[in-house]
Amino acid sequence: VVSGSSASGSGGDIVISVGSGDGVGGSTSITAGASSAADGGDASMVAGSSSSGSGGALSLESGMGSTSGGALSVTGGVGTSSLGGSIALTSGSGTDTSSGSVTVSTANAGTAGVSGALSLSTGSSTSGDSGDVSVVSGSSASGSGGDIVISVGSGDGVGGSTSITAGASSAADGGDASMVAGSSSSGSGGALSLESGMGSTS
């Protein structure tokens, strides 16, 4: 299915729309071909590029519901004899300007309820090492390195807690916990500050 191009106007649109109904709405499925002897087919959704303006946006959004909103799931493929498929979420680079941002956040709560939780975790392992979690800011050749900020929300009740705990072990040494200020080859080393909170009573 190919829409026409245009030398002086806009290219033609392609619209795939599924009918609504009093029952369950129609489904849409785009599936690449499977193979029993070679690699499975690829599936690709790419927004249009532009030589003079901004590139097109790509939006994936689940449906709104009167009870619960639809879920959105992005899952790498299972590998039976080798590695499972990876998932990469990367912002675009800027040739002459800044690279794009990546924002992962949950929505604010409505008039009642709590805001959604955000969980970042790696899988467990029964025979090898479990996966690492790495949060690293970028370095700079001529400016300052990027900051990493871990901040806990305030509230009318008890303020949120922050806990950093090294892993325990039943057969070897427990994991180490380390906080180190940055060094400098030409100036002062960074300061390390640990301070408890101020209170109206104690």
Side-chain angles (χ1 to χ4, degrees):
V1 179
V2 181
S3 67
S5 59
S6 173
S8 59
S10 300
D13 296 327
I14 294 178
V15 177
I16 301 176
S17 178
V18 179
S20 59
D22 291 338
V24 178
S27 300
T28 301
S29 177
I30 300 176
T31 307
S35 173
S36 59
D39 294 337
D42 296 326
S44 177
M45 294 181 62
V46 181
S49 59
S50 172
S51 60
S52 58
S54 299
L58 178 63
S59 176
L60 296 176
E61 183 177 351
S62 60
M64 182 180 65
S66 60
T67 54
S68 298
L72 179 63
S73 177
V74 179
T75 307
V78 175
T80 55
S81 60
S82 186
L83 300 174
S86 300
I87 296 177
L89 182 63
T90 308
S91 67
S93 59
T95 304
D96 298 324
T97 57
S98 303
S99 62
S101 300
V102 174
T103 301
V104 179
S105 62
T106 63
N108 295 331
T111 55
V114 298
S115 62
L118 181 63
S119 176
L120 179 64
S121 62
T122 63
S124 59
S125 174
T126 56
S127 59
D129 295 337
S130 62
D132 296 326
V133 175
S134 179
V135 180
V136 181
S137 67
S139 59
S140 174
S142 58
S144 300
D147 295 326
I148 294 179
V149 177
I150 301 176
S151 178
V152 180
S154 59
D156 291 338
V158 177
S161 301
T162 301
S163 176
I164 300 176
T165 307
S169 173
S170 59
D173 295 337
D176 296 326
S178 176
M179 294 182 64
V180 182
S183 59
S184 173
S185 59
S186 59
S188 300
L192 178 63
S193 175
L194 295 175
E195 183 178 350
S196 60
M198 181 180 66
S200 60
T201 56
S202 60

